[in-house]
Amino acid sequence: MKIYDMPDQEGHFGPYGGTFVSETLIAAIDELKAQYLYYRDDPKFQAEFAYELKHYVGRPSPIYHARRLSDFLEGAQIYLKREDLNHTGAHKINNTVGQAMLARRMGKQRIIAETGAGQHGVASATVAARYGMECVVYMGSEDIKRQAQNVYRMKLLGACVVPVESGSKTLKDALNEAMRDWVTNVQNTFYIIGTVAGPHPYPMMVRDFNSVVGRECLTQMLEMAGRQPDVVLACVGGGSNAMGIFHSYIPDESVRLVGVEAGGEGIATGHHAASLSAGSPGVLHGNRTYLLQDSNGQIIETHSISAGLDYPGVGPEHAWLKDTHRAEYVAINDDEALHAFHTLCRMEGIIPALESSHALAQAMKMAPAMDKDKILLVNLSGRGDKDMATVAEYSGITF
Ligand SMILES: *Cc1c(COP(=O)(O)O)cnc(C)c1O
């Protein structure tokens, strides 16, 4: 098997990635990189991380063979990697535990994060409470209105949620504000980024912390099915749950990797969040990658039924996997995701996150055309409890 050893020392995945930050952050980024590379090879750090994942997060998450769904579709067998069963309900906690542990090792007492839907804010507030650290979460004031329940969860966990009033008052404005805070307070502050984006080493580090997902799948699939899947599917917002499950499978070219972006109301309408399917390369959030931008390089407002996929960029490693054709990227629209959501509820008794429902919808599209002995492995990145109000609203119900 080919060895996959990305990124290079400067954090490049081919022409993507890198470090596009202001002069004032270079020292902090260099320190972070040196410390991360040290602890990545430190057996004590890795042992503590494994302990936390087992006893705090609840890993390993099981793989579930969705037999009723597979029979119903009369095609390939669908297996689900159950990240929805993790503490706090999604894969994001894998990464925030790792970064909070690193922050402690680096002597940083203060955590900052930015959040759109609030899920990463909750995962950050959770680990800050767990390790007794101060936590400040930047969030657009529009998002605060839309995500009141997650804002309250963060507050219960002891975090300070700072409303951002600039620009469109959403995620990209919160990103700028978090960067500004980091520049100002870099001495005592650790910036926890929630996906495989940002300046090097974040895309690599967040991938590494989430790659436990794919490593577990390698052994679990052998135990359950006696072999590896034919296709691995995951939804792509920034791309951390997808990189988490893809990473171990990249060297094995007999396994197809399919990333599923949010097609929103349809790519043709312009109301979507499909950076890889419909964007172009540029620089955002400290790295070079595919973006949704207009002809002047201004970031375009995104749309998706799932707030967690509503990000105008994507991790640079996905940009590289797309260009090299090692992974394929497709878009699933709101209606298709919602249909998959309801189908899984009724067929398997599992309420998935709307984000994960995009990956599931793509699997449901592919399965009927495939033989019954083929295997599709879907990363079920999170649970749908947080999405009740959204689903009810789309269905014309209030409760
Ligand atoms: C945040 C989130 C995503 C999107 O983030 P990625 O970095 O693309 O994984 C997907 N699924 C769930 C459940 C989420 O909470």
Side-chain angles (χ1 to χ4, degrees), residues 28 53 58 70 89 97 100 102 105 203 215 220 230 237 248 260 269 295:
L53 290 180
S70 307
V97 164
L102 184 60
R105 296 285 198 294
R215 277 199 304 281
Q220 289 171 318
D230 298 285
S248 293
V260 185
T269 66
S295 50

Side-chain angles (χ1 to χ4, degrees), residues 90-92 119 194-195 235-242 308-309 353 355-356 381-382:
H91 68 288
K92 286 194 173 75
Q119 292 301 110
T195 191
C235 64
V236 177
S240 67
N241 86 88
L309 299 183
E355 291 84 1
S356 325
S381 53

